[in-house]
Amino acid sequence: MSTENMYRIARDLYAEIGVDTDAAIRRVSDIPVSIQCWQGDDVRGFENPDAGLSGGIQTTGNYPGRARNIDELRADFDFAARLIPGKKKISLHAIYLDNGGKAVPRDEIEPKHFASWIEWARERRYGIDFNPTCFSHPLAADGFTLSHVDPGVRAFWIRHCLASRNIAVAIGRALGQTVCTNYWVPDGFKDIPVDRAAARARLADSYDQIFAEPVDDAFNLDAVESKVFGIGAESCTVGSHEFYMGCALKHNLLLTLDAGHFHPTEVISDKLSSALLYNKKGILLHVSRPVRWDSDHVVIFDDELKAIALEILRYHYEDRIHIGLDYFDASINRVAAWTIGARNMQKALLYAALEPTARLQEMEAKGDYTSRLAYLEELKSYPFSAVWDRYCENCGVPVRDSWIADVQEYENSTLSKR
Ligand code: RNT
Ligand code: ZN
């Protein structure tokens, strides 16, 4: 059925509460969402796909069809991208390098190892984000990298981060866009340490070295990601939230907030307006779905996802909040996982763009909390889905559930043959 009639009714209904649905669609079409490459192959990469995933993060499940090489990953990503509306970036990790079959030590990676990614992204008008990979490596096997007690190991990871930053700047220059480079290290203690202070001082010193030289903001923005705990590092995470709040302010970096990296009743939607007051640079989001722990489930259209989107749009934070997805589920079709999560992120942004925020804020300012609650609840049953369908149609991507059959077909013809 065509979206036209339903959209017309929805547009009129939203107009009655002062919301311009066409403007909402235009607004959301301009917000890039960075999609994590690592959903496609269970965070293995191409450095050594058989090396297990380490660093206290885990993919569970063995659904058939994971991408085994660079061509398969790109083909799968392209397939998903055709099903997802909106502006896209791909977030790459250093281990997704194109080394032409020749092993390159992680502290020697160069922009040329990402040249084919740049060309691929340029043709498709995708932006790129970047991540040094400080896990799944023999020198990270004991759980420490940038805070390692051995100066030689620590120096190796500093060189890897510097090499990654250099690659990110080169990508940004080549594509004429801004890369967000995210630093996350798994460093932490399984059991209660007696010198967490020294570990944190070493981590701080590593970042002093990594961020010593400024780079051009137009091409690269560095971001640092905290965490509360990891598997095998339950007692103390060296790079805690407080650590990185200070680190980001000191070095003028983006603060990365991952939805799964806080205590289970804490939500990142509430943190944005506080963090941005003091951190003028901005925030990188790792939108994820923690189920009881940092489980990295596929993002669904739940209250917290809507709250994140609402908080971004209510205060016009689009320029300072960079939206990235970070989840990895190996128990379902991975192309579907990409599509479901990214469509949901887009859906939440559009949902937020349809809020009559100024009116609600007026009620709140007057102390009329009754009306605020009443309207917030009534808004939930406005015909949002008709606007969403229209947005998908405008973007030339499948409307409603029609994409599911496409993915099943791709599974039958391609993924299941791997
Ligand atoms: C780990 C962090 C980190 C990774 C990716 C692969 O807990 O969330 O961002 O998930 O870099
Ligand atoms: Zn993350």
Side-chain angles (χ1 to χ4, degrees):
M1 203 214 272
S2 136
T3 62
E4 188 56 37
N5 290 344
M6 300 240 296
Y7 180 65
R8 215 175 310 119
I9 295 167
R11 188 178 52 199
D12 293 348
L13 267 170
Y14 275 106
E16 282 176 22
I17 51 166
V19 173
D20 179 341
T21 52
D22 292 326
I25 288 175
R26 278 196 302 277
R27 185 176 182 197
V28 173
S29 320
D30 272 346
I31 305 175
V33 171
S34 179
I35 303 173
Q36 74 290 21
C37 76
W38 50 90
Q39 166 60 68
D41 75 333
D42 313 339
V43 208
R44 288 169 189 248
F46 310 122
E47 181 191 72
N48 178 6
D50 298 325
L53 177 59
S54 82
I57 54 177
Q58 283 181 358
T59 48
T60 52
N62 54 0
Y63 200 84
R66 109 185 126 72
R68 295 162 302 178
N69 54 52
I70 218 162
D71 291 335
E72 289 180 353
L73 189 77
R74 286 178 186 159
D76 292 356
F77 188 91
D78 276 339
F79 196 93
R82 285 194 289 272
L83 309 176
I84 301 163
K87 264 197 192 169
K88 290 163 201 75
K89 294 177 102 176
I90 181 167
S91 186
L92 297 176
H93 246 281
I95 49 172
Y96 288 78
L97 80 174
D98 186 355
N99 61 14
K102 207 173 144 275
V104 183
R106 245 182 246 184
D107 56 343
E108 291 175 22
I109 53 172
E110 292 177 50
K112 68 177 185 209
H113 300 120
F114 289 85
S116 68
W117 278 112
I118 293 171
E119 284 324 305
W120 176 84
R122 193 202 311 275
E123 280 165 20
R124 290 154 178 80
R125 297 175 185 276
Y126 301 150
I128 294 182
D129 284 333
F130 203 70
N131 303 259
T133 313
C134 301
F135 52 84
S136 303
H137 188 280
L139 290 182
D142 62 5
F144 292 89
T145 61
L146 289 178
S147 73
H148 208 285
V149 72
D150 178 334
V153 175
R154 195 156 72 85
F156 171 84
W157 289 111
I158 293 171
R159 288 195 303 275
H160 171 61
C161 289
L162 283 167
S164 295
R165 195 175 189 229
N166 186 39
I167 290 165
V169 173
I171 294 172
R173 265 185 215 288
L175 292 180
Q177 57 115 53
T178 314
V179 174
C180 295
T181 302
N182 184 56
Y183 301 77
W184 170 73
V185 296
D187 301 31
F189 296 90
K190 179 183 173 75
D191 222 327
I192 306 156
V194 292
D195 207 349
R196 61 183 89 206
R200 287 182 168 141
R202 288 191 295 269
L203 185 58
D205 178 75
S206 295
Y207 286 121
D208 285 349
Q209 296 184 46
I210 293 165
F211 301 126
E213 299 296 331
V215 294
D216 190 335
D217 276 3
F219 301 126
N220 178 64
L221 292 172
D222 294 306
V224 284
E225 181 179 15
S226 70
K227 190 162 176 171
V228 63
F229 85 97
I231 301 291
E234 290 84 357
S235 296
C236 168
T237 296
V238 183
S240 60
H241 185 46
E242 293 73 11
F243 178 95
Y244 280 119
M245 288 218 297
C247 179
L249 288 181
K250 174 175 181 181
H251 296 290
N252 199 21
L253 314 169
L254 301 175
L255 180 69
T256 303
L257 295 175
D258 183 309
H261 288 194
F262 295 88
H263 288 282
T265 59
E266 265 184 283
V267 283
I268 59 168
S269 55
D270 178 55
K271 299 180 188 298
L272 308 180
S273 52
S274 295
L276 286 183
L277 267 184
Y278 296 102
N279 185 323
K280 296 296 174 196
K281 200 57 163 243
I283 287 173
L284 172 63
L285 290 180
H286 269 191
V287 181
S288 192
R289 178 166 56 108
V291 179
R292 305 191 191 283
W293 72 290
D294 182 28
S295 60
D296 289 300
H297 277 65
V298 177
V299 167
I300 59 173
F301 190 55
D302 59 8
D303 285 347
E304 172 57 3
L305 187 68
K306 285 182 239 178
I308 290 169
L310 282 162
E311 286 295 295
I312 298 172
L313 297 202
R314 277 174 182 157
Y315 323 118
H316 301 276
Y317 286 156
E318 291 101 309
D319 291 342
R320 287 166 69 208
I321 297 188
H322 306 265
I323 304 172
L325 304 175
D326 182 12
Y327 58 80
F328 29 98
D329 189 337
S331 74
I332 60 172
N333 180 308
R334 295 167 185 81
V335 175
W338 259 326
T339 309
I340 295 164
R343 276 177 76 101
N344 281 332
M345 187 70 242
Q346 289 285 339
K347 217 182 248 185
L349 289 168
L350 185 65
Y351 182 86
L354 292 170
E355 185 189 72
T357 306
R359 286 190 187 194
L360 295 166
Q361 286 173 342
E362 242 170 71
M363 293 168 198
E364 183 169 285
K366 282 198 296 221
D368 184 2
Y369 301 155
T370 309
S371 300
R372 181 188 61 188
L373 180 62
Y375 275 102
L376 279 172
E377 288 307 297
E378 286 302 330
L379 280 166
K380 291 180 180 169
S381 47
Y382 265 62
F384 161 68
S385 66
V387 187
W388 165 246
D389 291 348
R390 172 64 163 231
Y391 175 48
C392 288
E393 198 173 69
N394 282 359
C395 293
V397 305
V399 172
R400 290 187 286 273
D401 48 15
S402 59
W403 64 269
I404 301 171
D406 298 350
V407 172
Q408 270 158 1
E409 160 59 25
Y410 186 61
E411 174 167 321
N412 294 339
S413 67
T414 308
L415 301 177
S416 67
K417 308 258 152 66
R418 290 180 185 161

